[in-house]
Amino acid sequence: MAEIPLTLAEATEKAKELRTQLNQYAHEYYVADKPTVEDYVYDRLYKELSDIETEYPDLITSDSPTQRVGGKILQGFEKVTHEVQMYSLNDGFSKEDIYDFDERVQKLAGKPVSYCCELKIDGLAISLRYENGRFVQGATRGDGTVGENITENLKTVKSIPLELKKPISVEVRGECYMPKQSFVNLNKEREEAGQDVFANPRNAAAGSLRQLDTSMVAKRNLSTFLYTVADFGPMTAQTQFDALNELSEIGFRTNPEKKLCQTIDEVWAYIEEYHEKRSELPYEIDGIVIKTNEFTIQDELGFTVKAPRWAIAYKFPPEEAQT
Ligand SMILES: NC(=O)c1cc2c(N)ncc(C(N)=O)c2s1
């Protein structure tokens, strides 16, 4: 039976209700990894919203889930200067390197320090800026000072919130990556289409974010983990561990495998644990990032020209080729 068309007032109210519901379902699925409804429920509501927006295009908002499918053909990527530099990390390759790092840090800090340990995601570093809770700009790391504006492409990455849970202005950094299974599926498709395959998920993620057709990016099933706050705005965290929890509270996807370690022995145990678990993870990691947890100590230790004195990246040895 043909439905009676909604009036503008009814459509406005219904669209707002559907957007809120759909964005909540999408947050549960893509950010919290805890979906609460089946796909067909989401798809039905999505079609209802899409039909209303087709009937009343003025009702389309920047945070509508219909804006995630892309469809813009970009002419290129503008340059973006990072107000806060996107630093790189000093690397460590052995247990001795890690214990030497701890010795240096304890000496500089003049007291015992705790460490926040996180998985080193093998993807593409990105910076996300929000104004009054709205996603306004996304950029690549570039050389750490100047990156590329890939906002339109990042809007199609479902785990990147278009609207935060609080209307705050912040800048955050993290990694955009392609899950292992998505990488396998994509290369299978490309091989069947006679196209070149990607060497690894990092290259696949980087290649996807360089697409000028945003609808192509939307199909690549990219995801994110956020892990650094460059502009805190009203955020209150005083440690790295708390900052990760605060990032999650305001709507970002963060990696759940983090660990607060009180000693370097605990740090080394965590490194060994995840060297073992590496192959079971649904995404590629190439090491572990270790940071002094307290921001006051990070401020005291500061940076060398290249990298922070208060962090080190332990790099796993290359994985043995799968025979
Ligand atoms: N170059 C960098 O500063 C970092 C790079 C990465 C990476 N690839 N994955 C995770 C983290 C993290 N959790 O801090 C960092 S930090």
Side-chain angles (χ1 to χ4, degrees):
M1 180 179 73
E3 286 181 14
I4 302 163
L6 296 171
T7 64
L8 177 59
E10 289 165 338
T12 303
E13 186 53 37
K14 190 66 181 166
K16 184 172 183 298
E17 184 190 304
L18 288 166
R19 264 198 313 271
T20 303
Q21 185 67 70
L22 285 162
N23 284 336
Q24 175 55 29
Y25 288 152
H27 178 86
E28 291 164 356
Y29 187 93
Y30 290 107
V31 179
D33 299 326
K34 297 190 182 83
T36 59
V37 293
E38 298 293 328
D39 290 0
Y40 77 89
V41 172
Y42 182 91
D43 295 345
R44 182 165 46 78
L45 295 174
Y46 182 95
K47 185 174 182 317
E48 198 177 341
L49 175 60
S50 179
D51 290 349
I52 291 176
E53 291 181 353
T54 303
E55 184 70 23
Y56 296 102
D58 290 351
L59 292 181
I60 295 173
T61 61
S62 61
D63 71 327
S64 171
T66 61
Q67 303 308 293
R68 292 283 197 182
V69 296
K72 289 183 180 165
I73 305 295
L74 307 175
Q75 297 310 310
F77 301 110
E78 292 168 7
K79 295 297 179 199
V80 167
T81 300
H82 301 299
E83 296 297 311
V84 175
Q85 184 168 358
M86 290 182 74
Y87 51 79
S88 53
L89 293 172
N90 291 316
D91 291 336
F93 300 93
S94 66
K95 183 172 184 179
E96 185 185 10
D97 289 345
I98 299 305
Y99 278 72
D100 288 350
F101 164 73
D102 175 52
E103 196 175 328
R104 285 196 305 276
V105 164
Q106 304 260 15
K107 191 161 175 242
L108 285 170
K111 58 185 170 187
V113 301
S114 58
Y115 293 106
C116 183
C117 293
E118 302 166 56
L119 302 185
K120 190 170 182 299
I121 312 302
D122 199 3
L124 195 79
I126 56 171
S127 185
L128 308 175
R129 199 154 56 76
Y130 289 75
E131 285 173 7
N132 305 314
R134 181 149 298 180
F135 179 46
V136 294
Q137 182 179 279
T140 63
R141 180 181 179 284
D143 63 5
T145 304
V146 178
E148 290 187 315
N149 186 328
I150 54 168
T151 307
E152 293 308 316
N153 282 350
L154 289 175
K155 280 179 180 174
T156 73
V157 177
K158 313 296 186 298
S159 62
I160 293 179
L162 298 176
E163 194 86 35
L164 296 177
K165 294 188 174 179
K166 295 176 186 170
I168 58 176
S169 300
V170 293
E171 178 160 344
V172 299
R173 274 96 192 254
E175 209 80 5
C176 184
Y177 70 93
M178 184 178 289
K180 287 176 182 172
Q181 190 54 55
S182 303
F183 169 69
V184 168
N185 299 345
L186 175 63
N187 268 354
K188 188 166 177 291
E189 276 172 31
R190 292 176 69 89
E191 204 161 6
E192 284 165 1
Q195 295 170 315
D196 293 341
V197 294
F198 287 106
N200 54 55
R202 177 171 40 77
N203 288 6
S208 300
L209 287 173
R210 271 203 297 274
Q211 289 291 323
L212 292 173
D213 175 350
T214 59
S215 63
M216 292 286 288
V217 185
K219 295 175 188 137
R220 292 289 174 86
N221 191 36
L222 298 174
S223 190
T224 55
F225 288 120
L226 280 302
Y227 47 69
T228 294
V229 183
D231 177 353
F232 278 80
M235 290 174 68
T236 58
Q238 297 298 310
T239 69
Q240 174 62 15
F241 197 82
D242 290 348
L244 291 168
N245 290 329
E246 203 169 2
L247 283 170
S248 179
E249 283 157 19
I250 61 180
F252 292 108
R253 187 159 185 264
T254 59
N255 190 283
E257 312 299 340
K258 65 181 183 292
K259 183 171 171 36
L260 182 54
C261 297
Q262 297 306 325
T263 66
I264 200 66
D265 289 342
E266 279 182 48
V267 170
W268 185 252
Y270 176 91
I271 287 172
E272 290 186 321
E273 178 187 358
Y274 280 92
H275 194 184
E276 282 300 308
K277 289 182 177 175
R278 182 183 189 186
S279 57
E280 299 153 28
L281 294 167
Y283 45 83
E284 295 276 8
I285 62 170
D286 60 350
I288 301 294
V289 179
I290 301 131
K291 306 166 189 172
T292 60
N293 189 46
E294 292 82 3
F295 289 148
T296 50
I297 291 183
Q298 292 186 10
D299 295 343
E300 280 166 30
L301 271 55
F303 292 73
T304 65
V305 170
K306 177 172 110 51
R309 292 190 187 88
W310 43 266
I312 190 167
Y314 176 80
K315 306 281 284 200
F316 292 137
E319 277 184 299
E320 297 76 40
Q322 303 301 328
T323 48

